[in-house]
Amino acid sequence: MRKILMLLLTAAMCLTACGKDAPLPEVPVEPEAPPAAAEPDAPSISLPAAVEDPEPETSWEGVPEVTLSLLQESYPVGVQKITLVLDNRSEMEFFYGEHFSCQKFVDGAWQPVEFQDKVFFRDVAWVLEADSVRTLRLDMNALEQPLEEGLYRLTGGGVHLHDTGEWSEPWQLDFRVTAEAQPEPDYAMYISRKPVPTVDGCLVTDRLPVYLINNTGEDGQVLHIPHLERRNEAGGWEEVPYQDNVGFCGTPDPLPAGGAEWSEDMLYLWGALEDGRYRLSYKVGDTFDTEERAYGEFTLYTSEENHGLPLAE
């Protein structure tokens, strides 16, 4: 038995030694992939520079001493009515019409804003008398789509010179449409953008011409008790007191639909006034008890040797 165990042990050792020296099967080796080529850099694309809006033209003076402007320089989205103010400070009479077109500034160019189908204008000529102010309501509902935010331009047919029979160049006025802007008030006041001249602290003209605007479509009322304020250095408004012995009647006057011209004797009411920015207001409304006010601003300016007067800012 012992011999048999020894023989078995010897055979096992032989088998183990033979297995150790046996060659291993060959495993195919895949060749290494060549390094990936670097992707070429994408060509740089230069984006076009953003086109800035042009400086808006908020007043038109295509005829000497005649100024056209809009009641406001900005309007809300979807504005329906815009008031055109025509100010004739000349001694000549002019005519004007209702025609206008609208454009929007898009991608560096003025693009037309189309009207709705079958929109037409009355072929009438309104009179703009010498030394007078008139208003014209422009209907934005006639356009194909409500106005969205952006810069717009209105173009009209100009004014007709009564004496020569000629038409001026078309008038153009710009305005912005923004979400923050407010619609035009029912009652407003227009005062010529030209400042009131003074010489050596004295007013060259005693009376300040104003135009009270009534956009309600119906007759209203105005209490002709003028309230004058002056802007201080902090940007606030300070009341200017009346002269002694100045009194008023407390009865309102009619304010017809559209508006009416008025004027105030500044020297009589407030005496000598310093140069600066002023705000005038009146109580206006549909009834006698209204607390609504119409405001207008103007500048007192000391002329320099009568070399002309710049426009007020």
Side-chain angles (χ1 to χ4, degrees), residues 52-126:
E52 294 184 359
D53 290 349
E55 191 67 24
E57 297 291 338
T58 58
S59 66
W60 177 89
E61 297 179 11
V63 177
E65 298 186 276
V66 176
T67 302
L68 271 63
S69 59
L70 302 179
L71 187 58
Q72 299 180 176
E73 295 183 0
S74 61
Y75 288 88
V77 173
V79 56
Q80 298 181 6
K81 299 286 186 178
I82 291 180
T83 301
L84 173 67
V85 182
L86 303 97
D87 184 3
N88 180 10
R89 294 303 164 195
S90 74
E91 297 180 356
M92 295 187 295
E93 187 176 80
F94 297 90
F95 296 98
Y96 60 95
E98 298 182 353
H99 299 77
F100 73 93
S101 62
C102 184
Q103 301 83 34
K104 183 179 182 181
F105 193 75
V106 181
D107 295 333
W110 291 102
Q111 304 291 340
V113 178
E114 301 296 339
F115 285 97
Q116 297 183 24
D117 293 338
K118 300 181 181 179
V119 167
F120 65 93
F121 295 94
R122 293 185 299 174
D123 193 14
V124 297
W126 298 102

Side-chain angles (χ1 to χ4, degrees), residues 52-229:
E52 294 184 359
D53 290 349
E55 191 67 24
E57 297 291 338
T58 58
S59 66
W60 177 89
E61 297 179 11
V63 177
E65 298 186 276
V66 176
T67 302
L68 271 63
S69 59
L70 302 179
L71 187 58
Q72 299 180 176
E73 295 183 0
S74 61
Y75 288 88
V77 173
V79 56
Q80 298 181 6
K81 299 286 186 178
I82 291 180
T83 301
L84 173 67
V85 182
L86 303 97
D87 184 3
N88 180 10
R89 294 303 164 195
S90 74
E91 297 180 356
M92 295 187 295
E93 187 176 80
F94 297 90
F95 296 98
Y96 60 95
E98 298 182 353
H99 299 77
F100 73 93
S101 62
C102 184
Q103 301 83 34
K104 183 179 182 181
F105 193 75
V106 181
D107 295 333
W110 291 102
Q111 304 291 340
V113 178
E114 301 296 339
F115 285 97
Q116 297 183 24
D117 293 338
K118 300 181 181 179
V119 167
F120 65 93
F121 295 94
R122 293 185 299 174
D123 193 14
V124 297
W126 298 102
V127 181
L128 181 60
E129 295 93 347
D131 196 25
S132 68
V133 175
R134 293 291 178 267
T135 60
L136 177 65
R137 292 279 272 172
L138 306 178
D139 187 3
M140 298 296 105
N141 290 323
L143 299 174
E144 191 173 52
Q145 298 292 336
L147 296 185
E148 300 176 344
E149 289 189 290
L151 179 64
Y152 292 86
R153 168 170 289 174
L154 297 174
T155 302
V159 295
H160 184 266
L161 286 68
H162 180 264
D163 293 344
T164 64
E166 299 177 353
W167 282 92
S168 71
E169 294 293 326
W171 56 263
Q172 290 187 327
L173 295 168
D174 302 338
F175 65 96
R176 292 190 183 278
V177 172
T178 67
E180 299 79 17
Q182 297 296 317
E184 292 180 350
D186 289 337
Y187 298 95
M189 189 193 312
Y190 171 82
I191 301 176
S192 177
R193 293 186 63 204
K194 290 185 178 180
V196 180
T198 63
V199 176
D200 296 330
C202 297
L203 294 172
V204 174
T205 175
D206 292 349
R207 304 197 70 87
L208 178 70
V210 303
Y211 189 84
L212 291 163
I213 298 172
N214 177 3
N215 280 333
T216 65
E218 299 180 357
D219 291 349
Q221 299 184 76
V222 54
L223 186 62
H224 281 131
I225 299 180
H227 182 71
L228 185 65
E229 300 165 289

Side-chain angles (χ1 to χ4, degrees), residues 257-269:
E261 293 183 274
W262 191 253
S263 66
E264 293 294 354
D265 190 330
M266 293 186 292
L267 284 177
Y268 169 75
L269 293 173

